[in-house]
Amino acid sequence: MASHRRPKQPSRARVTVLTTAAAAAVVMSSQAANAAPSEKPSKDEVKAKVDKLYEQAEQATEKYNGAKEKQEKLQKEISTIQDNVAKGQQELNDLRDGLGSMASAQYRSGGIDPSVQLFLSADPDDYLDKASTLDQLSAQQVDSLKKIQEKQRELAQQRAEAAEKLKDLSSTRAELGKKKKQVQGKLASAQKLLNSLTAAEKAQLAEEQNRATRASERDALSVNVPAGSGRAAAAFAAAQSKLGTPYVYGATGPSSFDCSGLTSWAYAQAGVGIPRTSEAQTGAGTKIYSVDQLKVGDLVFFFNDLHHVGLYAGNGQIIHAPRTGTVVRYESMNTIGGPFMFGVRV
């Protein structure tokens, strides 16, 4: 006979949990249905974010430039030390050969002096510390041993210096890679934001930039401001010849530039060497804190950390390489995005 068991009723606690979950699901569904879709940022909001990212990228670029310059300097110093060590080692070998020749002569004349024999089989540093043996050497042998000792110490010091610089070079290369990634990351984020704009919005932004550049160019050329010196005038003329050249981070010309790459290249064309980075360029001459006292060709620095530099063009305008996506151009000092800190007359 079949068993007729009564179905087990769900517990009150289980019913409560299910009811609560169902109610929550209804509420969440209702909220999701009623929530307004996320608004796409406006063209101006995107531009503000992109400008900030470009500023951060330029900060990282100047740090990258500094690390790159340090790397190149270290490589040259290490190469020089290694050349000196190689030459010094040859000199040491020649000194040892000379002393060996003396030993050979002694052998032919009746046997090697015990003191020379000791030297040939041991470290001369240790040997010379045994002052009592000096009495057994000729004046020429003593002089040769002292020269060998001095050369050995010199080589040891140079090798230690090279080892330290190689360590420094390794850490500098790591820093260089880190700064490069920072720049690339900021630029990629900026590009992603720009890609979110419509074609019409991108065209509007481009036209706004073009209008600003044309207005700055008219303003710069409307007033004849004398150059500070023949060299400043030559540097300014060199920068003018690169109007329209694209900005590329880390570039020093002649086909692309970053901000300090342009200024260092321009002054190099005038026969004046100035440092590579914007921060280092602040020490290239006399500081000028009043815009009214600036002359054409003076270096002009912006932002509290001095990460941007250009060349003064007169009438409150500069020639500079602004940022990725732009070209070397005239621009008003009021639209750089950061405060004018001071100028430098090279």
Side-chain angles (χ1 to χ4, degrees):
M1 182 175 179
S3 173
H4 299 281
R5 293 182 180 176
R6 187 176 181 183
K8 186 177 180 181
Q9 298 296 318
S11 68
R12 178 173 297 178
R14 186 165 179 265
V15 170
T16 302
V17 170
L18 290 173
T19 304
T20 303
V26 169
V27 171
M28 290 175 66
S29 176
S30 174
Q31 288 176 341
N34 294 329
S38 58
E39 293 184 2
K40 180 185 174 219
S42 69
K43 170 178 67 69
D44 291 338
E45 288 172 332
V46 168
K47 182 180 182 303
K49 290 179 180 178
V50 167
D51 286 346
K52 186 63 178 175
L53 284 166
Y54 279 148
E55 180 190 337
Q56 292 169 351
E58 189 176 34
Q59 287 174 310
T61 293
E62 286 303 301
K63 299 295 183 184
Y64 166 85
N65 290 338
K68 188 176 181 183
E69 186 177 40
K70 183 179 179 182
Q71 175 185 255
E72 292 168 354
K73 182 182 177 184
L74 282 169
Q75 286 173 327
K76 287 179 183 177
E77 289 175 351
I78 290 167
S79 178
T80 300
I81 292 172
Q82 289 173 335
D83 286 345
N84 290 339
V85 167
K87 291 174 185 175
Q89 187 62 54
Q90 185 57 52
E91 290 173 11
L92 181 59
N93 293 341
D94 292 342
L95 288 169
R96 282 174 169 162
D97 289 344
L99 196 61
S101 297
M102 279 190 277
S104 297
Q106 286 180 348
Y107 179 78
R108 286 193 299 271
S109 65
I112 302 179
D113 187 307
S115 58
V116 176
Q117 189 174 23
L118 175 62
F119 161 72
L120 292 175
S121 62
D123 185 342
D125 276 347
D126 179 63
Y127 176 65
L128 283 176
D129 287 338
K130 298 180 175 64
S132 61
T133 64
L134 292 176
D135 294 336
Q136 304 172 35
L137 297 174
S138 69
Q140 187 179 3
Q141 288 169 341
V142 170
D143 185 57
S144 295
L145 283 172
K146 285 183 176 179
K147 285 180 180 177
I148 289 172
Q149 183 186 44
E150 184 181 342
K151 182 58 66 176
Q152 283 183 319
R153 287 174 177 166
E154 181 184 326
L155 287 175
Q157 183 178 351
Q158 289 176 335
R159 287 188 176 109
E161 185 181 355
E164 282 300 312
K165 287 188 181 294
L166 283 167
K167 245 166 81 178
D168 197 3
L169 178 60
S170 178
S171 63
T172 299
R173 280 175 173 159
E175 182 187 1
L176 189 62
K178 181 181 175 183
K179 296 303 179 188
K180 185 174 183 179
K181 284 182 180 177
Q182 287 180 354
V183 174
Q184 291 172 332
K186 298 296 182 185
L187 296 181
S189 297
Q191 190 57 55
K192 186 176 179 181
L193 280 170
L194 289 172
N195 290 343
S196 70
L197 296 175
T198 65
E201 288 172 329
K202 290 177 184 176
Q204 288 173 359
L205 277 181
E207 180 52 31
E208 288 172 10
Q209 290 284 355
N210 289 335
R211 279 201 304 270
T213 300
R214 289 194 296 269
S216 290
E217 184 174 355
R218 284 194 303 271
D219 289 340
L221 299 176
S222 64
V223 177
N224 183 22
V225 180
S229 71
R231 290 179 300 177
F236 182 74
Q240 277 184 312
S241 74
K242 292 300 176 180
L243 287 168
T245 304
Y247 177 103
V248 174
Y249 83 88
T252 56
S255 57
S256 58
F257 300 92
D258 62 19
C259 71
S260 57
L262 174 66
T263 50
S264 59
W265 178 87
Y267 265 94
Q269 307 318 296
V272 182
I274 63 174
R276 168 66 180 91
T277 65
S278 59
E279 185 177 358
Q281 288 177 12
T282 62
T286 305
K287 288 185 173 62
I288 301 161
Y289 292 93
S290 171
V291 175
D292 292 339
Q293 294 177 1
L294 291 173
K295 294 183 179 180
V296 171
D298 287 341
L299 298 172
V300 279
F301 298 87
F302 300 86
F303 297 95
N304 292 330
D305 62 356
L306 308 170
H307 71 257
H308 190 70
V309 61
L311 290 166
Y312 190 62
N315 202 28
Q317 314 295 310
I318 66 170
I319 287 180
H320 68 150
R323 60 176 182 270
T324 298
T326 65
V327 297
V328 175
R329 68 190 188 195
Y330 289 101
E331 189 165 351
S332 168
M333 293 172 66
N334 297 325
T335 61
I336 299 302
F340 164 72
M341 303 306 295
F342 51 79
V344 166
R345 186 156 299 150
V346 178

